[in-house]
Structure formats: C-alpha cells, structure tokens
Amino acid sequence: MEIKIALAGNPNSGKTTLFNNLTGSRQRVGNWPGVTVEKKEGSLKGRNDVTIQDLPGIYSLSPYSLEEVVSRNYLVNEKPDAILNIVDGTNIERNLYLTTQLLELGIPVVVAVNMIDLVERNGDKIDLDKLSKELDCPVIAISALKGKGTKEAAQKAIEVAGSHQVAAIPSIYDKTVLSALSNIESVLGSQIDTSMARWYSVKVFERDERIDEILKLSADQTSKIEPIIKKVEEAMDDDAESIITSQRYDFIGKIVSHTVKKKGPKHELSISDKIDKIVTNRILALPIFVLIMYVVYTIAMGGTSISIGTMGTDWANDVLFGEIVPNFFDGILTSLQVNGVLYSLIMDGILGGVGAVLGFVPQILVLFLLLSIMEDVGYMSRVAFIMDRIFRRFGLSGKSFIPMLVATGCGVPGIMASRTIEQDRDRKMTIMTTGFIPCGAKMPIIGLFAGAVFGGSSLVATSAFVIGIAAVVISGIILKKFKSFAGEPAPFVMELPAYHLPSIGNVLRATWERGWSFIKRAGTIILLSTIILWFLQGFGFTNGQFGMVEDNNTSLLAAIGNAIAWIFAPLGWVGDMAWKATVATFTGLIAKEEVVNTFGVLYNYAEVSEEGNEIWTLIARDFTPIAAYSFMIFNLLCAPCFAAMGAIKREMNNTKWTLAAIGYMCLFAYVSSLIVYQLGGLLLGEVTFSIWTIVALALLALILYLLVRPGYKPKSEALDLKGMSVAK
Amino acid sequence: MGNIIVLLILSILVVLILRYLWAQHKSPKQCTGDCSSCGSQSCHLDWQKIRQEIKETK
C-alpha cells in the first residue's frame, strides 16, 4: 500500500534539501521565496511504495500567499499519511507556530529539527526528548545538508503513518478557549471529519471565511456559534484570531523555555547579522551591490588580468573557433571536394555564426558561476530585501525583484516567476519590466561590443545591468501613476537565511544547467537561423540575375534590411552598417544570441583572418562608440525573444496586455536609444545638432514630466467632502 | 560525391533539430514545483483561482 509523506515547514527550513536527500532528486534549492511554489513528489530511495511530497514553505495554515494556499489545500484536502514537519533549529520559536497548527490536523506528525549542526556550533542545546513529550509526537534531529538523521526521520514518518499514530493535541489553549472550541465542535457535529475536528473548530472560531464556505454553515449553526465566539472575545477583550495566535505563542514560549538552552545572551548578533548590518545598511547597501556586480562583470567579461571569462572567450574565439575548428572542417571539406557554395555555407555561415555565439560560452559560464555562488551563499535574498526598500518608493515590493533576479539567467523563467505575485497590477508591471534586466542571452551582445568597441571595459557590462535596473525603476514610477497600476504594494515578508559557504555541488549544477541551456540553443535554433541568414545575405540580384553575391550589401537580406533601416536612423544606425544592425536586431527576436550570430555571419563573409578577431575589427570600423552604445541599449531594452513573448502571453492571459507589454518595451528602448545617441553624441562631438536633437530633448522632458507628475489616486485615498455628514 | 555527403549530413541535422524543437514545444514538462525554472507551456495550477481564494480569505 502506498504511503504519502508530506514535507511541511517554514520557507528556508530545508524541505527541498531534505527532499533531494531522501529521493535522490535534483530539485532546485534556492534562498528566496518562490523557488518552490508547487508541490512535487518523488519516491523515497529504496522504497517505491513511499512517496515524499515537497511543499512550498508556509508560516501558517492561514494562507495569505499563493504558496500557502497550495500547501494548505494539499494538507487539508489530500490528507497525506504522515507529515514530516521540518523545523529550523536555529529559529525554533518561529517555526513551531506552524507545528502547533499541523498537530491539530489529525494527521500523524514527526518533527525533524533541522540544521542541528548549526545549533551545536552556536553552542545551543535542544532537549529533543522533552520537546517530544511537550508536543506529544516524535522529534528527530537532522542536518538535511549533511544527510545526518534524514533516514531516521523518514523511517519514523513511515512508522507513524503505518500505525496511524496521531498525536494527542497538545494543551495549547486555556480553559475558556477550549470550552468554546468544544462547543463549536458540538454544533458542527457530524458535518466534519472527527479526526480534524479541532482544526475545523479553531478555523470557525477564527471566522476563517474559506472554511465557512467549505462547511456551508446553516443560519442556525451560525446563530449558535457566533455568541460562543463573542463571549470569549468580550471576556478576553480581543478578537478571536488574535486570541488564538497569542495563545499559540504563549504555548511555544513555554515549550522553548523548557527545552532550548541558548549559549549566548538572547540578543547577541550572529555572524550573519553582523554581515547584514553592513550589507543591508540603508546607505551602503546599494553601492555595495553595484560594486559586487562590477566585480562579477569584471571577472566574467572585463579586460583585466583577473577577467578569466574574457580569457576563455579570447581563446575560444582566437584558437578554438578561429583555428582548430575551421581548420578541421576545412580539411574535411577540401578532401571531400565540396563546391564553393556548400563550403561557404559551412565555413562562413554555420561556423561563422554559431562559432561567434559559442565563443562567449566561457564568459557566460563564469558569469553564471559567480551568480550561483551569490545565490547559494545567501546574498541574493539580501538583494531582494535591498531592492524592496527602493521598489516600495514607487509602488512595487521586493517580491517583484525576485523574477528580475531569475531573469539574469533567462527571461522566460523570470516572467514565469512573476505568477507568485498576488496583486494583478503589480504582477503585470513586473512582467512588463522583467525584460529590461540583461539575461544570459544578451551577454554576448554586451561582450561583443565591450570587446570590439570599448576595449574590453567591464564598465560596459556593469552599465548595462545598471541601465536595466534604472529602466525598471523609471518604468515603475511612470506606470504607477496610471490608473491601471495605481495602488499600494503588497506587503513583503521574507526570511534572510543565515550566510553559509556555498555548496560546490549546488553551484556547479546551477551553473551547468544554465550554461547547457545556452549551448543547446546555439546548436538548435541558432544553427537553423544561420543557414537561413547565410542564404539571405549570400544571395541576391546582380544585373537582374539571381545568384551568389560577392558583396553582401547587394544581398536579399540587405534589401530587406534597407527597407526598414530608416526607422533606426535617429538612433545612429546609418551607413553600410544600418541594414546589418537592423537585421541583427530583428533576428534577435528569435533568440537574443542571434544578434551576435547575425554579425558573425555578416562580418565573417569576408575571409576569416588567422587572428580570429576579424569580426571585432570590422564591427569597430562600422560602429562609433556612441552608435555602438545606442545599439546595445536598444537590444537590451527592446522586445524580448519569441520564447519570452510567449511567456508574457501566457502569464498576462490577455492579448491586449501582451501587446501593451511588448509595445511598451519597444517604445522605451527606442526613446532611450534616441536620447543616448542624440544627446550623448552631441556632448561627445560625434553628432551634430539637428531636428532629432530637439526631438530627443522633448522626449527627455516628457519622461521627466511623467516621473514627477501627480499620479492617479484610488478613491479610498481621496477625501470626498460632499458625501460626508456629521454624526448626530 | 562530397557535395552529396555534406548535403545529406546537413539535411539530417536540420531534420533532427526541427524534431527536437517540435518535441520540446509539444511535450508538457513535468512540474518541478519551481515556477522560476519552469519553461512549460501550460501550468496545471489555476493561479487565478488561487488568487481569488486569497482575496476571499482576506
């Protein structure tokens, strides 16, 4: 017979780590909310009849977030055979609140006190036997990260599930409340499952609307229950929900005082707290974050002696895809005596294009490695906290920043992650702005121009990230002033997990997963696009005759590009490079790496030099610094790739909003690029004063106006004196 | 002969890639519980309904 064991506990208590340990699974372990938002199951290692269910973290069974609804619905409706309640031993008081609720569900519970190694390291002591007596259920010490005690905990859960050993409900409440609960249970009678009688009676006492709906209480029942609740509220001079909460915490306080002995004084700061005093400091937090990102981008994409990402990319471009691979294929193709057209397709097209993209793999891997380390160490959750302070000023919460952090890898899961935002307007705004954050696919664009035009400066990559954040903030302020988005942000509660050394396995796995996705895309979509691009830029009409062209400025692709390149003339995309830049931007809709692939095909059409950096030299010749920066900004901020657009469509679930989101991004990108090129170019002396300078100034003035204008105020915030009357 | 071999290999490669992309598009990914890693076309959870439930609870 199958046994189902649910892992329930607070966020960051170690449920997913334990789940991976027990099932051999490789689910992602993250440090911020939204990593696990749905239940997922796996079989216990060595026992196919035992299913382990990992649930999203919850603080209580009174749900105010999407994750809590998912967990609560599962526990109450699907009733697992046992609950393995993970409790963070270093935060036991807060974690036991959920435990007191789980014990009322009438399902066998085993409490696993996790992070016991940290508890011992801190010099604290938890008397597990006493705790077990107080809670009247088995309590096992575990360290999910180290795999200590996990098998014993699972075994205990199987035992209690098999014996249906339900704990007696601990004496949480005083006589007054107990009497009220007992009376409510009598009124509910056979309407409820007797094993869950306590849980239902507490929820009815708290006036939980969801439970009232589920039970469909009759008017007669309501008329009997309401006086019972009111009597207790009057006696205790408090509302029912607060009474229950307060008595739970009193009970927990009593247990903790008997069973937990702390080494240090109660309010001594831990090492994590000391680090956080600096890292989340009101003034220092943001500069520290920018500095850290600067160091990350320097190591990944800079031009310094510590820029190992760039060293790898230089080798990949100059040696691997500059000599080894081309020579290898050249040898094969020459020995097979293939004709010039096929030779060009493979050498100039496929190798030139795909090679240009794959050349950036070292930089991408180093970047993802560093971001994974930051995530695993626990710093990324601090970033969400830091950004919450900033975002709240313009009406979003830090929860909106989490999809953006995810989007640094790929925009598609970033957009998906927005579904955990409860408020629709905040969710829409998050979806619309997540695309501004440079994803992994946009990194080659940054890397290409940083290397070709800006001498490998890591400031380029850092500025791209800062521009992305600035675009989010500016968009947030502007959009929040419109009726569709106006309103207070949702509260954001998040635990900051203790800092710990990164787990090498987790970090390498996360890095490889993202990097492999990048490589797979290069070998599939980008390879296919290369063939089409090669054809379009290698063939055209010369003197009325269709055939291969020597100069791709006369190709089919050039004709298509030139037909629409005029749109981008104000952005500085002029001359021979205009159609190339235009075509590259449009192919970027397939996948952002396509921009680099397209340049690789277009600029590689000439002979590939032995040095392998022919492309960079040709790009530097065609793009002035300001035009290059304008191009980079446009591609960073404009509509995302088709996959991300698909994700937007699914999450918005509305065609109008989908088009609005994509249209907004394109417009923002165009205006930003225009302002940067026209005004930046004027200041640098690269651009002369023209009508477009006036347009750029006007647009800048418009943006400033939209930023400072008073926004729409919802009715509840606006006083309407006409309707008021004086009470007699 | 060499041209035919290369064309054949390229054609097989293109067909394999197209098949892979189509299979990815069609097959629903198994839910890993982690929305932020999900590239699935469809989610079996009705998030709108869950949001509605929260509004009613509040």
Side-chain angles (χ1 to χ4, degrees), chain A residues 27-28 34-38 40 63-66 69-70 73 209-210 213 336 338-339 342 345-346 350 406 413 416-417 419 421-422 427 520 523-525 527-528 531 650, chain B residues 1-7 10 13-14 17-18 20-21 24 30-45 47-48 50-51 53-58:
Chain A
Q27 301 300 335
R28 200 162 80 84
V35 176
T36 307
V37 285
E38 222 291 79
K40 54 190 180 290
Y64 294 113
S65 72
L66 294 164
V69 171
V70 169
N73 284 352
E209 285 173 13
R210 288 296 303 149
E213 265 182 40
L336 287 174
V338 297
N339 73 26
L342 262 183
L345 167 62
I346 291 165
I350 296 173
V406 174
M416 300 286 213
R419 65 174 59 145
I421 296 168
E422 286 85 5
R427 200 170 49 86
K520 254 196 311 193
T524 52
I525 292 175
L527 194 147
L528 283 183
I531 296 170
R650 281 193 298 279
Chain B
M1 187 64 187
N3 293 329
I4 295 171
I5 294 170
V6 170
L7 269 173
L10 270 177
L13 195 59
V14 168
I17 291 171
L18 286 171
Y20 169 78
L21 291 173
Q24 286 284 301
Q30 203 182 9
C31 179
T32 58
D34 176 7
C35 290
S36 65
S37 293
C38 180
S40 177
Q41 300 278 338
S42 58
C43 179
H44 58 104
L45 277 181
W47 290 107
Q48 296 282 52
I50 293 172
R51 279 191 197 90
E53 214 172 298
I54 293 174
K55 274 191 196 159
E56 285 164 10
T57 308
K58 284 180 180 169

Side-chain angles (χ1 to χ4, degrees), chain A residues 412-446:
Chain A
V412 173
I415 290 162
M416 300 286 213
S418 69
R419 65 174 59 145
T420 61
I421 296 168
E422 286 85 5
Q423 292 200 0
D424 263 341
R425 57 169 187 268
D426 292 349
R427 200 170 49 86
K428 285 187 174 105
M429 211 157 89
T430 305
I431 293 168
M432 285 171 79
T433 53
T434 293
F436 290 145
I437 302 297
C439 64
K442 292 177 186 171
M443 288 303 154
I445 304 174
I446 299 170

Side-chain angles (χ1 to χ4, degrees), chain A residues 410-568:
Chain A
C410 174
V412 173
I415 290 162
M416 300 286 213
S418 69
R419 65 174 59 145
T420 61
I421 296 168
E422 286 85 5
Q423 292 200 0
D424 263 341
R425 57 169 187 268
D426 292 349
R427 200 170 49 86
K428 285 187 174 105
M429 211 157 89
T430 305
I431 293 168
M432 285 171 79
T433 53
T434 293
F436 290 145
I437 302 297
C439 64
K442 292 177 186 171
M443 288 303 154
I445 304 174
I446 299 170
L448 179 68
F449 284 98
V453 180
F454 297 102
S457 167
S458 41
L459 279 175
V460 174
T462 314
S463 72
F465 189 77
V466 171
I467 284 167
I469 303 277
V472 170
V473 172
I474 291 169
S475 299
I477 297 173
I478 291 174
L479 292 173
K480 262 291 178 177
K481 297 190 185 212
F482 288 92
K483 187 175 169 185
S484 306
F485 298 103
E488 287 302 310
F492 178 44
V493 175
M494 193 184 77
E495 259 189 70
L496 296 182
Y499 287 106
H500 58 83
L501 288 173
S503 152
I504 295 177
N506 277 349
V507 166
L508 289 177
R509 201 175 301 130
T511 304
W512 178 245
E513 269 169 20
R514 286 157 151 177
W516 177 235
S517 162
F518 182 88
I519 294 166
K520 254 196 311 193
R521 253 199 325 273
T524 52
I525 292 175
I526 289 170
L527 194 147
L528 283 183
S529 320
T530 301
I531 296 170
I532 298 168
L533 273 173
W534 170 85
F535 172 76
L536 287 173
Q537 63 88 55
F539 287 78
F541 290 93
T542 316
N543 299 325
Q545 293 264 357
F546 182 78
M548 264 190 106
V549 294
E550 281 187 17
D551 178 5
N552 61 13
N553 284 310
T554 58
S555 65
L556 288 171
L557 196 62
I560 296 167
N562 279 321
I564 37 180
W566 60 271
I567 300 171
F568 300 102

